[in-house]
Amino acid sequence: MQKIRFARGLSDYQIKMAFIMPTMILLILMNIFPLLWSLYLSFHRYKASLPNRLPKFIGVRNYAQLLSDPEIWEYFRTTAYFVVLAVAAQFIIGFGLALLLNRQFRYKGLVTTLILLPMMLSPVVVGLFWRFILASDASGLVNYFLSPLLNALNRDSIPWTTSPNMAMIAVVIVDTWMWSPFMMLISLAGLSAVPKYLYEAADVDRASGWFKFRQITLPLVSPLLLIALLFRTMDAFKMFDIVYVLTHEGGPGTATETVSMNLYRLAFRSYNTGKACAMAYILLVVIVALSNIYVKYLNRLREA
Amino acid sequence: MKKPHIYIFVVAISAIILLAPSTNAQKPLTVVWAEWAPADYLDELSKDFTAETGIAVNVVQIPWGSFQEKISAAFVGKSDLYDIVIGDSQWLGRNSVGGHYIELTEWMNDNIDVSSISDTAMTAFAEYPKGSKKYWALPAEVDINGFMYRKDLFEDPKEQAAFKAKYGYALAPPTTYKELLDIAEFFTRPPDLYGIAAYFSKEYDSITMGFQQVMWSFGGSYGDPHTYRVDGYINNEDSVKALEYYARLIKFAPPDAPNYYWQQVLDAYKAGKVAMAMEYFAFFAGAIDANQNPKYYDKTGFFIAPKGPKGHYISIGGQGMSISSYSKNKPVAKQYMKWFIQKSVQEKWAMLGGFTPHREVLQSETFLNATPFNQAFSDSMPYLKDFWAVPEYADLLEVCQTNWNAVIVGAKLPKAALDQIARKHEQIFEEAGYYDE
């Protein structure tokens, strides 16, 4: 009886708070506090591996050192190069596949599921088996199949992961293999939402296929495509796992050293915690800026 | 009617609880090490400790690639997961200064005959700062960088004649880096056979362990260990020559050699891809095992790392046993370490395949004849040298790994890479306060 009375005595606001508070507390503990703590540490000299040395305030020195380090800019260039190549390839292949699948045919469901499989795999597993597929000697599956052609041309095996020129291409191939299905999935959702009567009307007007694609398909699908591009760009900018496994920690040399790979080194190899936090914030700012550009463009599209 | 069944059930459960091993039995000791053959030997050896004391020993093995990260993460989280950590020699600085290892100086002086342990092992695996006689670990596994070679190729009369005709001296295991390069060149017959497999990878400490012994033997060095100045040492003319040499050596290695660490080197050797292979002695057991290396297990010879134009130095590997500050089982950990270093236990350790730090056991005929490579191991002992063991070693190592790997794949010139290392190393030392008055 006491309990019932207690429950009845709660106001609507108190009940609301009782439901919200656990989530709020969890959010503050798991997200907000680490975010603020890492921001605090980014202004300090601190190594988590030396806990008996307290964080020492050094102002913006971590940021200044990182932003004035030519190597960091090189890693940003490498990352940007990867993002542009990978996202463009994924967009073209994914959208192309969606156009092909956007019709009725036998076993459509099975084909779609099979195409979606790569993105369901763990990136580490993907990196590992592509490491064997793209091995730089004849033991690699790709080089094995290409060997008759390479022998005929009197060329050596392709050094997919051991040449600074080829390693990034290898990473792009693997990432594209893995994530084109995602682009396809979103594109397919957009394509299937385009009203059929628009195409029928265009057919009545004897519009060409290219005209229908340019004037009907593309404008109606583009908001969804942009969202898919936004997700992939943000994700590609944080590329770590495939690079870690496939090219042996961003090698050869620094050919595939992305910003996230370098951040990992700073944070978990060197335990340079203060600097790693500063680096993470720089990365966050870049991603937020990029996302804003996309969102603004998306809004403009919607208004149009 | 059901009651008697319940009584029987209660009595049975009580009996199981009472007859089960005593709940106040000693907590098992957890020893963590990298995932490799010596950890299996230790697991086997530890059964004797359990038989003697009744204390179970759990040897946890972590793959080499994530060994350092996992241990560091456990330390940062002050986890009591591990009682004894068998860590790399370079970790001593960071883990002692960071308070993750307990200091063992007094305990070792009181409980262990330190003079029975090789001086080299004590300096490399136990002492920090070097020369201070402050101990943080008990040497457990002394490992050394060495080489294996295909005896069937080296002893083939046709190969010997062809080699002599081309180079003007007899084909034999190389004693100098010039000979190593000649032999590597001679046996390079792509795509089936290459001269050498060595540590070239960017992973963990791979290329650093492979190259640093060349650098020292050519006259280069990491820097002044007293002033921590690096410029003018690591980027001097000798170091540049050494790096140029190492970049030439990879021309005689298989195409995937820029990714070679210990596993890839061993695989390349066992697959018959190379005539010679650089490897740590602890991995040599795999090369003479008929199951693991069916083609060449009986055709494999071993030699010590060659000397250079300005000296003879060899990279030290291996690890020492340290007690985690967060362990709740410290007395047992000490009991285990005291047991481990006894001569009789060390003899068995050596027989199982471990590389003992025990001076007498190391020099015994039994040890020298136990495997075909123990003699080369013993011959290498006087030439051992190590990487920096300061708390900032991981930062220093990362810079070396990236730059040296960039040189061997042709992405950087040796001088530019070494200048970059010098600049970065001095920046790391400066930030850490080594240059403060």
Side-chain angles (χ1 to χ4, degrees):
Chain A
M1 286 300 283
Q2 280 285 338
K3 277 179 187 170
I4 292 165
R5 220 173 286 146
F6 171 73
R8 276 182 189 161
L10 286 176
S11 66
D12 282 357
Y13 176 77
Q14 283 169 325
I15 291 172
K16 229 185 324 182
M17 288 310 285
F19 277 109
I20 291 171
M21 277 323 276
T23 312
M24 289 299 288
I25 291 168
L26 209 69
L27 255 173
I28 289 167
L29 284 179
M30 306 293 286
N31 287 22
I32 311 295
F33 172 71
L35 201 71
L36 295 176
W37 180 244
S38 58
L39 182 67
Y40 166 82
L41 286 181
S42 73
F43 297 106
H44 290 76
R45 178 176 297 150
Y46 177 62
K47 277 177 171 272
S49 59
L50 303 175
N52 42 10
R53 288 185 184 171
L54 292 174
K56 186 182 170 195
F57 182 73
I58 52 166
V60 293
R61 202 182 300 170
N62 282 330
Y63 289 94
Q65 273 179 357
L66 286 168
L67 293 172
S68 61
D69 188 342
E71 282 190 357
I72 298 296
W73 289 107
E74 189 195 322
Y75 303 147
F76 268 104
R77 270 196 298 276
T78 305
T79 309
Y81 181 55
F82 165 75
V83 171
V84 170
L85 284 182
V87 176
Q90 287 158 29
F91 174 73
I92 293 165
I93 293 170
F95 190 50
L97 282 172
L99 286 172
L100 286 174
L101 290 175
N102 189 33
R103 65 197 69 189
Q104 287 309 316
F105 59 90
R106 219 173 164 196
Y107 304 123
K108 183 185 171 182
L110 180 70
V111 171
T112 311
T113 310
L114 287 176
I115 292 175
L116 289 177
L117 275 180
M119 71 177 224
M120 295 173 193
L121 299 173
S122 149
V124 174
V125 174
V126 170
L128 269 177
F129 72 66
W130 275 96
R131 188 198 271 195
F132 294 113
I133 293 172
L134 294 176
S136 296
D137 60 358
S139 68
L141 211 60
V142 175
N143 275 327
Y144 174 77
F145 284 119
L146 288 177
S147 58
L149 179 70
L150 293 167
N151 288 341
L153 296 170
N154 204 19
R155 300 288 296 267
D156 293 332
S157 307
I158 300 171
W160 290 107
T161 59
T162 51
S163 150
N165 301 324
M166 294 302 296
M168 182 52 87
I169 293 170
V171 176
V172 169
I173 289 173
V174 175
D175 196 63
T176 303
W177 178 84
M178 193 173 176
W179 290 110
S180 292
F182 172 78
M183 210 58 112
M184 183 205 78
L185 191 69
I186 305 281
S187 306
L188 202 56
L191 286 172
S192 55
V194 178
K196 294 281 176 284
Y197 66 83
L198 291 176
Y199 292 112
E200 286 161 10
D203 285 339
V204 170
D205 292 339
R206 301 175 74 183
S208 68
W210 171 243
F211 183 87
K212 282 189 277 184
F213 176 74
R214 205 162 49 89
Q215 299 296 334
I216 301 172
T217 312
L218 214 50
L220 290 174
V221 176
S222 51
L224 264 180
L225 287 182
L226 218 58
I227 289 172
L229 278 174
L230 172 69
F231 282 148
R232 280 308 307 141
T233 306
M234 281 163 64
D235 207 35
F237 217 92
K238 295 181 286 180
M239 164 53 76
F240 167 74
D241 23 33
I242 291 177
V243 163
Y244 183 86
V245 179
L246 182 73
T247 54
H248 299 256
E249 303 181 10
T254 52
T256 58
E257 181 93 6
T258 58
V259 181
S260 294
M261 183 69 232
N262 195 253
L263 176 56
Y264 165 79
R265 279 182 207 290
L266 274 176
F268 299 110
R269 284 283 169 81
S270 307
Y271 271 94
N272 211 331
T273 316
K275 210 177 240 185
C277 289
M279 180 89 156
Y281 272 93
I282 293 171
L283 190 60
L284 179 74
V285 167
V286 172
I287 291 174
V288 168
L290 268 176
S291 308
N292 265 325
I293 295 170
Y294 271 118
V295 171
K296 273 192 181 160
Y297 190 68
L298 191 67
N299 286 339
R300 219 180 285 169
L301 262 180
R302 277 193 186 137
E303 283 164 17
Chain B
M1 284 302 286
K2 280 181 182 172
K3 273 189 177 171
H5 290 105
I6 291 169
Y7 291 141
I8 292 167
F9 178 73
V10 169
V11 168
I13 292 292
S14 310
I16 289 168
I17 292 167
L18 288 171
L19 295 173
S22 166
T23 47
N24 62 2
Q26 187 61 53
K27 192 183 160 211
L29 184 76
T30 305
V31 181
V32 63
W33 204 355
E35 189 178 34
W36 62 335
D40 293 332
Y41 310 149
L42 188 71
D43 201 17
E44 183 63 31
L45 184 74
S46 299
K47 286 174 185 162
D48 291 355
F49 177 76
T50 306
E52 275 179 38
T53 61
I55 302 168
V57 179
N58 180 21
V59 179
V60 177
Q61 300 190 36
I62 299 174
W64 271 110
S66 53
F67 184 39
Q68 183 187 216
E69 277 96 322
K70 282 207 171 174
I71 301 296
S72 298
F75 281 157
V76 169
K78 303 192 174 179
S79 163
D80 63 350
L81 206 58
Y82 312 121
D83 301 309
I84 292 180
V85 174
I86 307 186
D88 268 346
S89 53
Q90 310 100 289
W91 299 5
L92 275 180
R94 180 155 91 181
N95 291 337
S96 57
V97 174
H100 307 302
Y101 288 165
I102 65 164
E103 190 178 342
L104 297 169
T105 315
E106 209 180 311
W107 177 80
M108 278 176 72
N109 287 331
D110 292 348
N111 292 277
I112 285 168
D113 179 12
V114 174
S115 64
S116 71
I117 303 170
S118 138
D119 291 338
T120 314
M122 281 306 289
T123 308
F125 307 123
E127 200 178 45
Y128 185 81
K130 302 296 172 199
S132 66
K133 299 283 175 202
K134 276 185 164 187
Y135 304 131
W136 304 87
L138 176 73
E141 168 84 358
V142 183
D143 206 356
I144 299 172
N145 201 280
F147 286 81
M148 53 188 160
Y149 70 99
R150 290 263 305 276
K151 284 202 285 189
D152 57 322
L153 293 174
F154 275 63
E155 289 167 6
D156 183 338
K158 280 184 197 160
E159 300 285 5
Q160 287 179 334
F163 183 87
K164 181 133 197 201
K166 189 171 179 187
Y167 297 97
Y169 61 94
L171 176 62
T175 55
T176 66
Y177 278 113
K178 190 196 169 299
E179 288 174 11
L180 184 84
L181 195 72
D182 287 348
I183 297 169
E185 181 189 48
F186 177 71
F187 281 116
T188 298
R189 296 149 197 186
D192 300 322
L193 183 67
Y194 293 86
I196 192 162
Y199 288 7
F200 293 115
S201 164
K202 196 184 170 185
E203 273 180 274
Y204 187 38
D205 61 359
S206 170
I207 191 168
T208 301
M209 294 299 120
F211 170 66
Q212 66 182 10
Q213 56 193 6
V214 181
M215 177 179 76
W216 291 323
S217 301
F218 272 66
S221 80
Y222 280 114
D224 185 329
H226 305 292
T227 63
Y228 295 96
R229 286 291 169 195
V230 175
D231 195 21
Y233 295 89
I234 203 166
N235 54 345
N236 69 14
E237 206 178 311
D238 294 324
S239 299
V240 175
K241 277 183 189 161
L243 195 49
E244 284 168 353
Y245 170 88
Y246 211 62
R248 268 207 307 281
L249 199 60
I250 200 171
K251 307 259 181 284
F252 308 120
D256 52 343
N259 291 336
Y260 277 13
Y261 194 17
W262 67 268
Q263 184 67 62
Q264 292 81 5
V265 166
L266 199 57
D267 290 344
Y269 182 80
K270 289 193 287 193
K273 278 193 205 174
V274 291
M276 298 179 289
M278 169 196 283
E279 192 63 283
Y280 271 110
F281 276 83
F283 298 108
F284 283 160
I288 55 162
D289 181 343
N291 293 321
Q292 292 182 52
N293 186 17
K295 283 189 196 164
Y296 308 109
Y297 74 96
D298 56 347
K299 300 179 182 76
T300 298
F302 303 90
F303 61 92
I304 76 168
K307 60 181 175 231
K310 293 196 175 174
H312 196 183
Y313 297 97
I314 301 175
S315 291
I316 194 167
Q319 295 81 27
M321 278 184 191
S322 299
I323 299 176
S324 163
S325 300
Y326 317 109
S327 162
K328 292 192 172 79
N329 219 1
K330 291 187 188 91
V332 177
K334 285 178 180 169
Q335 187 185 349
Y336 178 82
M337 281 160 64
K338 191 174 176 180
W339 167 85
F340 174 79
I341 205 65
Q342 294 173 99
K343 192 183 169 197
S344 58
V345 178
Q346 285 299 300
E347 279 167 346
K348 185 164 182 192
W349 174 232
M351 286 305 105
L352 283 168
F355 285 110
T356 172
H358 198 282
R359 204 188 291 267
E360 263 184 69
V361 181
L362 259 177
Q363 288 159 355
S364 69
E365 282 300 313
T366 325
F367 172 78
L368 293 175
N369 298 320
T371 71
F373 45 81
N374 279 13
Q375 184 61 56
F377 177 88
S378 182
D379 294 344
S380 305
M381 285 294 281
Y383 308 110
L384 302 186
K385 207 169 169 176
D386 203 1
F387 188 74
W388 292 106
V390 293
E392 294 73 23
Y393 88 92
D395 310 44
L396 302 167
L397 185 65
E398 289 292 327
V399 177
C400 291
Q401 286 291 104
T402 305
N403 280 282
W404 286 336
N405 184 258
V407 170
I408 58 118
V409 295
K412 257 185 186 174
L413 292 170
K415 177 67 178 153
L418 292 169
D419 283 344
Q420 172 77 343
I421 295 173
R423 188 177 68 78
K424 284 262 179 184
H425 277 195
E426 290 210 338
Q427 189 185 327
I428 291 164
F429 282 130
E430 188 170 8
E431 277 177 28
Y434 285 80
Y435 304 145
D436 295 347
E437 286 303 318

